[in-house]
Amino acid sequence: MGTRVAVNQVLRLAVRNATISTLCPRQFGRYYLQSRWCCSSTNQATQHNQDLNPPSGIPVTELSLRSFIDMGFTESQAEQIYESLANVRRGDSAKHILPTLTALFVLGLNPSSVKKCLEKCPELYTIKEAQLQQRISNLRKMGLVEGSLQRVVAHYPRILTVPLKRVKNVVMFLKEKCLFTSQQVTDIIRDCPAVVLENLDQLEYKFQYVYFRMGVKQAEMVKCRLFRYSLDEVRCRHTFLERRGLYETPDKKGQTTIINPSLDSILNVDQDTFLAHVAQASAEEYDVFKRLAAREWQEEELQQGRTEPDSDDEDDDEDVDDDDDIEAKSGYGKRRKK
Amino acid sequence: MALLWDTSLLLRKVKDLRCLTPRRHRVKEKWAATRPKLPPTRLAVHHFDATYSTQLGQLWPSVRLAMLSERKYGALLNNFSHNAVLAELKAQGCIDFISEREREVPSCLEEKSEEPSDVSMKSSDVDGEQLSLSPNIKCLVFPRGDVTRFKPARPDKNSLLGYYLMDAASLLPCLALDVQEGHSVLDLCAAPGGKTLALLQTQAIRFLCINDSSVSRTLRLRKVLHSYVPKQLLTNENLRITSFDGTKWGEIESNTFDRVLVDVPCTTDRHSLMEDDNNIFSKSRTGERRRLPQLQLELLLAGIQAACPGGEILYSTCTLSQNQNLSVVEQAIYQAREKDGIHLQVVDLRPLTRMFGNTFHFAPDLHLGEMVIPHLAANFGPIYMCKLKRLT
Ligand SMILES: C[S@@+](CC[C@H](N)C(=O)[O-])C[C@H]1O[C@@H](n2cnc3c(N)ncnc32)[C@H](O)[C@@H]1O
C-alpha cells in the first residue's frame, strides 16, 4: 500500500473514531470488542474476559489490529505495534498514537519506516500532537528540506521527543560558541541528529579538542560528520597517531612539520583499515592502547576534580629521580616527590 | 514526558563534569596558552624524532608510542622479606619472567640464519657457554598485554618490604653480570639502588662496593637498602657505600673487582619524554646533556680499570641513543687498549636475548651489545647493555 493511501486511511480513522467516540460510546465498544477478536493473541481466554468489560478509563481512541493493517502495516508489523501500544498504554493513554502516526505518514515515511521509528523510540507513542507539529516545523525552519527531514526522523526518531528549547539551545551553541554557519548547523543536525541531546560542556570540549588539538576547521568537521563520534572515539584514534608521531598539532600559523592524515581518513573507516593504512600499527598495540588511554583519561578527570593544577611548582632540585627505577613505596604517583 | 525528565536529570548530573574537564581544555584562550612554548618534554620528542627515526627506522613509531604511554613494572622479589608475596602475586596472574620462560626462542633457528661461517666479534665467547642465572633473582610481571598495576609493597613483621618495583628490563644487566659465589662486585653508579638490590638478592657476593656521586641519591639508596635488607647483612664486612666521582675509580682502586656494573647517567629517554621537572632536555642543562657521552666513557673506562684481569664489566643505560651506547663502548674498548694497555673481549649476550625474547622486545641487528626496546604490549625498557671481559 502506498504512503498516500496509508495517510488517507489514518486520517479517515482518526475522524471516524472521533465521531464514534463522541456520538455513540456503545457502538465504539462493539467496534473495540470486535477488533480484539481478530487479535491472534495466545492467551485469548483471559484477554477476552477483560475485554468484555473494558475499564471505564480506557481511551476512546482505541485502535484495532485491523486498523493498523488498513494503514498499510503488514500483519506482523501491525501485531508488534499493537502489542507495544498495549505496553505503553499502562501509564499515559495512547491517545497520541494516531496524531503521531499521522505526522509520520504525512512526512512521507512508509509503514515499515514508521514501525521502525516506533520501535527505536516508543516515547513517540506519548507525544502531544501540538508539540510534535511544533518540533517538525522547527526542523523545517532550520532548513531541513524534504528528504533530509525524513531521513533524520527515520534514522533518529528521538529527535521528535526533544523539546524545542533544547534544540534551539544546541543550535545557538553551535553557532555562537563553535562558530558554525547556519548551513553547517543544518548539516550537523541532518547528519548527526543525536547532537541535540549531547551535554553542551562535553560538546564544547569535543569541539575544542578537534579544533585546537587537531587543528581541524569547522567545514571539515561537518564534512566528516565529527559529531557522530564520541569524544573518546575521536581522541583515542588521534592520540594513538600523535604518540606514533603521525599527527601534529599545527602551530599558530597552522603549520606542521609532517602532513597530518585527514579527519575523514581517521574517523570514517573501520578499525582494521585505520590500523593498516593510517596508523600502520598492529591490533595488539591498539588494543593495549585503548585500555591504557581509558585509564589515563579517567584518572586525569579524577585528578582535575580533586585538585586544581598550576599551583604545586616548588622545586626540590637535589633529591629527584631521573632514572628508570622507583621505590616500591612511592607507588605510581605521576609526580614523585621526596 | 518520562523521557524528558530523564534527560534533564541526566543533564544536571553531567553538568558537574565541567569541573572534571581538564582546566586547560575548557576555554579557548586557556587551551592555546597554558603550555610554555617548548617545554623540555617537547624538546626531547623533537630530538628523539630526529635521531631515533633514522636509527630504528620502521620500529620508531611503535617505540615512540610505547615510551609516551604508561610503562610496565616488574616486582623484584625480596628474598629477605617474610611476606608470602610470591604466591600472592602469582594468584593475581603474575609470572616470574626469569624462571617461567614458556619456551625459549629456538637457538638453532637463529644460529643457522645468523652464523654462516666467519666468527664475528660478537661470537668470540666460548661456544655453547650458557648464562648461569642466579636462581635467587625473581621478578614478577603481568603477562604480555596485561596493563594491571602492582600495589605498593607492604612491610613484613621486620618491616622489610616484599618487593621492589622497577623496570623489569633493568634486571637484565644484573642477570648478565653473572655474579658468582665469592665475587667482589663494584656498582659504580648505584643510586637509587634497584640493581644493587637485585645483586644482593643473589646472596653470592663476598663484598659489594656501592657508589654514587650524588650524596642525596646515595642517602636514598641507603633508605632503600634498609627497607629491604636485614641489618646483619649490611655490615662493613659485606659492603661499603660511597659517594665518589666514579670517573676517578681507576685511580682509587684498580685491578680489584670480579664484576663491575657501570649503569651510567644518560638521557633517561622515558623520563625526558614524560616529565618536565628535572628534565635533561631543559635549556639550562644543554651543556650537561652534551657532555654525557664523555662522562659515560670516563665512567666505563674507570669501571674497566677497577675490574681485575679476567673480570667482567657490564655497561648499561636506559636510552636508545647510539651515541650513549655503542659509540661509548667502542671508544672505551679502543682507549682501554691504547692508553691503559687493557685488552677487552665483548661477551655475547645473545643467550640472554634468546631466553627472554618472550618477555622483551630486543632491537634487531645491533653489532655491539643488546637493547630492549619498548613496545606497548611489553612496555619495558629502553635498556642498553654490553658486557666486556678483561683479558689483560
Ligand atoms: C641510571 S642512574 C643509576 C641507577 C641505579 N643503577 C639503579 O639501578 O637504581 C645513574 C646514576 O649515576 C650517578 N652519577 C652521575 N655521575 C656520576 C659520577 N661521575 N660518578 C658516579 N656516579 C655518578 C647519578 O647520581 C645516578 O644516580
Side-chain angles (χ1 to χ4, degrees):
Chain A
M1 197 183 296
T3 301
R4 185 164 305 149
V5 188
V7 173
N8 285 340
Q9 189 65 31
V10 181
L11 288 175
R12 227 177 47 232
L13 208 63
V15 174
R16 195 173 73 199
N17 272 357
T19 327
I20 289 170
S21 56
T22 41
L23 291 186
C24 187
R26 253 174 64 220
Q27 211 179 340
F28 173 68
R30 206 170 67 215
Y31 178 76
Y32 175 73
L33 210 77
Q34 199 184 328
S35 63
R36 288 300 261 191
W37 269 125
C38 310
C39 173
S40 55
S41 170
T42 43
N43 50 353
Q44 256 186 10
T46 44
Q47 263 193 356
H48 188 74
N49 269 341
Q50 285 169 357
D51 291 349
L52 281 173
N53 290 311
S56 49
I58 256 222
V60 283
T61 42
E62 278 302 343
L63 289 171
S64 68
L65 196 61
R66 178 82 229 145
S67 46
F68 290 115
I69 294 173
D70 287 345
M71 288 174 208
F73 293 104
T74 67
E75 217 161 293
S76 71
Q77 285 173 341
E79 263 166 40
Q80 282 170 38
I81 293 183
Y82 194 82
E83 257 159 47
S84 43
L85 197 55
N87 289 336
V88 180
R89 201 186 298 161
R90 230 162 285 134
D92 198 0
S93 70
K95 66 185 168 205
H96 306 301
I97 181 61
L98 216 46
T100 300
L101 288 174
T102 314
L104 294 179
F105 280 124
V106 166
L107 266 182
L109 302 185
N110 63 27
S112 87
S113 306
V114 170
K115 196 209 131 216
K116 273 193 208 125
C117 287
L118 293 171
E119 239 168 40
K120 274 192 212 165
C121 180
E123 290 92 337
L124 284 178
Y125 286 121
T126 54
I127 296 184
K128 293 209 184 79
E129 182 176 7
Q131 283 182 332
L132 192 68
Q133 291 305 345
Q134 238 184 359
R135 288 169 195 170
I136 292 176
S137 77
N138 182 51
L139 292 177
R140 280 214 172 85
K141 255 187 264 161
M142 282 173 45
L144 286 177
V145 291
E146 299 310 311
S148 301
L149 184 58
Q150 286 73 14
R151 250 177 287 136
V152 167
V153 171
H155 178 255
Y156 189 72
R158 252 186 106 178
I159 198 162
L160 297 179
T161 67
V162 183
L164 210 58
K165 205 167 145 224
R166 165 89 205 155
V167 177
K168 286 186 169 160
N169 274 346
V170 174
V171 169
M172 281 258 283
F173 168 84
L174 289 171
K175 283 185 187 165
E176 286 171 10
K177 286 266 172 115
C178 312
L179 303 179
F180 286 106
T181 66
S182 298
Q183 181 56 50
Q184 285 171 334
V185 172
T186 308
D187 292 351
I188 291 172
I189 303 283
R190 183 194 61 209
D191 296 333
C192 326
V195 78
V196 297
L197 279 182
E198 237 185 280
N199 172 268
L200 289 190
D201 292 327
Q202 288 173 340
L203 203 59
E204 182 172 14
Y205 182 72
K206 178 158 56 179
F207 171 79
Q208 295 200 346
Y209 186 92
V210 176
Y211 189 86
F212 291 105
R213 279 291 301 281
M214 300 182 69
V216 174
K217 296 281 172 285
Q218 285 88 345
E220 205 185 337
M221 294 184 201
V222 175
K223 210 179 92 214
C224 299
R225 299 164 181 165
L226 165 72
F227 293 105
R228 280 195 186 178
Y229 302 93
S230 71
L231 171 67
D232 280 350
E233 286 171 307
V234 175
R235 64 177 169 179
C236 205
R237 289 196 176 181
H238 164 255
T239 311
F240 190 66
L241 293 175
E242 188 176 61
R243 289 192 190 168
R244 290 184 76 81
L246 299 174
Y247 202 106
E248 249 177 39
T249 301
D251 63 13
K252 284 204 193 76
K253 290 178 204 137
Q255 289 167 335
T256 51
T257 59
I258 55 168
I259 300 170
N260 286 333
S262 71
L263 190 63
D264 188 55
S265 71
I266 296 172
L267 291 182
N268 294 317
V269 292
D270 63 23
Q271 181 173 309
D272 290 344
T273 315
F274 169 71
L275 291 177
H277 298 298
V278 188
Q280 284 150 328
S282 69
E284 185 191 35
E285 282 177 288
Y286 194 53
D287 172 61
V288 177
F289 176 77
K290 279 191 284 193
R291 281 181 280 140
L292 282 177
R295 187 163 72 188
E296 265 176 45
W297 292 326
Q298 196 188 347
E299 283 170 354
E300 208 174 273
E301 287 185 351
L302 282 175
Q303 178 125 36
Q304 298 291 333
R306 224 180 291 126
T307 57
E308 282 288 41
D310 309 340
S311 56
D312 53 349
D313 265 332
E314 5 100 39
D315 242 351
D316 50 342
D317 36 350
E318 259 275 68
D319 196 5
V320 270
D321 202 350
D322 60 274
D323 53 53
D324 53 327
D325 299 345
I326 61 157
E327 287 176 63
K329 269 191 271 185
S330 57
Y332 279 94
K334 257 238 144 179
R335 293 169 138 267
R336 290 179 248 129
K337 302 228 139 177
K338 308 263 138 85
Chain B
M1 228 39 217
L3 165 85
L4 304 182
W5 280 351
D6 279 351
T7 322
S8 62
L9 219 131
L10 197 82
L11 286 175
R12 219 178 313 136
K13 256 195 204 153
V14 256
K15 262 262 154 61
D16 304 330
L17 261 180
R18 181 161 247 272
C19 67
L20 298 181
T21 21
R23 228 246 233 105
R24 64 172 189 275
H25 298 334
R26 265 187 241 149
V27 240
K28 290 176 191 178
E29 303 84 65
K30 274 277 183 182
W31 186 289
T34 29
R35 291 207 218 132
K37 259 185 202 135
L38 272 182
T41 45
R42 299 284 303 160
L43 293 171
V45 174
H46 289 326
H47 182 91
F48 295 158
D49 274 335
T51 45
Y52 297 157
S53 58
T54 35
Q55 193 185 307
L56 291 171
Q58 297 205 311
L59 292 173
W60 173 233
S62 272
V63 175
R64 190 185 197 272
L65 168 71
M67 287 209 288
L68 288 168
S69 303
E70 187 178 315
R71 67 188 320 175
K72 276 183 87 164
Y73 285 92
L76 169 68
L77 216 67
N78 185 16
N79 297 317
F80 306 116
S81 162
H82 291 295
N83 280 347
V85 279
L86 181 65
E88 215 172 278
L89 290 174
K90 283 195 175 176
Q92 287 171 38
C94 288
I95 44 173
D96 174 11
F97 82 87
I98 301 170
S99 66
E100 295 173 65
R101 282 162 279 129
E102 277 167 41
R103 67 206 131 73
E104 296 179 12
V105 184
S107 53
C108 51
L109 276 177
E110 216 184 22
E111 229 103 339
K112 246 177 229 157
S113 58
E114 280 180 26
E115 265 176 327
S117 55
D118 72 311
V119 180
S120 66
M121 185 152 119
K122 253 188 138 170
S123 51
S124 56
D125 206 27
V126 195
D127 200 48
E129 189 187 79
Q130 269 282 328
L131 264 174
S132 55
L133 299 178
S134 165
N136 293 330
I137 301 185
K138 300 188 191 71
C139 180
L140 287 121
V141 293
F142 284 97
R144 186 179 174 85
D146 188 333
V147 296
T148 313
R149 292 168 178 163
F150 289 101
K151 294 188 185 68
R154 289 185 316 262
D156 68 357
K157 58 182 194 296
N158 303 322
S159 55
L160 295 181
L161 295 170
Y163 52 80
Y164 183 89
L165 293 181
M166 62 195 289
D167 189 328
S170 293
L171 279 178
L172 295 180
C174 305
L175 293 168
L177 193 60
D178 195 17
V179 174
Q180 305 286 324
E181 196 67 40
H183 271 167
S184 67
V185 179
L186 168 63
D187 189 352
L188 194 59
C189 312
K195 296 189 189 73
T196 316
L197 200 56
L199 294 176
L200 283 171
Q201 295 302 318
T202 64
Q203 299 181 60
I205 299 174
R206 179 173 48 84
F207 192 78
L208 179 60
C209 246
I210 304 167
N211 181 69
D212 195 288
S213 63
S214 155
V215 176
S216 62
R217 287 173 65 90
T218 311
L219 271 173
R220 256 184 70 195
L221 181 141
R222 279 179 190 277
K223 275 193 211 143
V224 170
L225 292 188
H226 281 103
S227 316
Y228 286 87
V229 186
K231 277 201 185 61
Q232 60 269 26
L233 295 179
L234 300 174
T235 64
N236 289 337
E237 273 115 72
N238 305 317
L239 50 84
R240 185 176 76 204
I241 303 175
T242 51
S243 291
F244 299 139
D245 175 0
T247 60
K248 304 283 188 304
W249 209 274
E251 299 160 24
I252 311 171
E253 210 171 16
S254 60
N255 303 332
T256 306
F257 296 94
D258 300 298
R259 296 287 186 266
V260 180
L261 179 59
V262 186
D263 188 34
V264 295
C266 65
T267 43
T268 53
D269 292 0
R270 245 185 225 277
H271 179 91
S272 298
L273 283 174
M274 301 300 272
E275 303 280 332
D276 282 323
D277 288 351
N278 190 40
N279 191 311
I280 194 147
F281 282 86
S282 60
K283 281 272 189 296
S284 59
R285 297 181 67 185
T286 308
E288 183 189 346
R289 179 164 57 84
R290 297 234 169 94
R291 283 191 299 274
L292 273 177
Q294 182 58 33
L295 173 62
Q296 291 158 344
L297 173 64
E298 287 172 28
L299 284 166
L300 178 52
L301 281 169
I304 291 169
Q305 290 161 359
C308 60
E312 295 181 339
I313 303 102
L314 198 124
Y315 176 79
S316 62
T317 74
C318 52
T319 174
L320 299 165
S321 157
Q322 227 155 26
N323 286 340
Q324 300 174 61
N325 295 337
L326 288 79
S327 309
V328 169
V329 176
E330 273 166 357
Q331 266 297 312
I333 294 173
Y334 174 78
Q335 288 198 16
R337 189 176 59 222
E338 298 301 306
K339 290 192 180 155
D340 306 323
I342 299 175
H343 288 261
L344 294 157
Q345 179 188 50
V346 178
V347 181
D348 186 8
L349 290 179
R350 273 178 303 175
L352 202 76
T353 64
R354 257 183 240 122
M355 274 184 233
F356 300 116
N358 287 321
T359 305
F360 305 105
H361 285 231
F362 289 97
D365 314 321
L366 241 58
H367 72 269
L368 192 59
E370 299 292 347
M371 184 161 70
V372 175
I373 55 174
H375 182 276
L376 216 47
N379 206 354
F380 305 110
I383 291 287
Y384 172 82
M385 55 194 165
C386 186
K387 190 174 175 180
L388 304 171
K389 186 183 177 79
R390 258 185 79 160
L391 300 176
T392 57

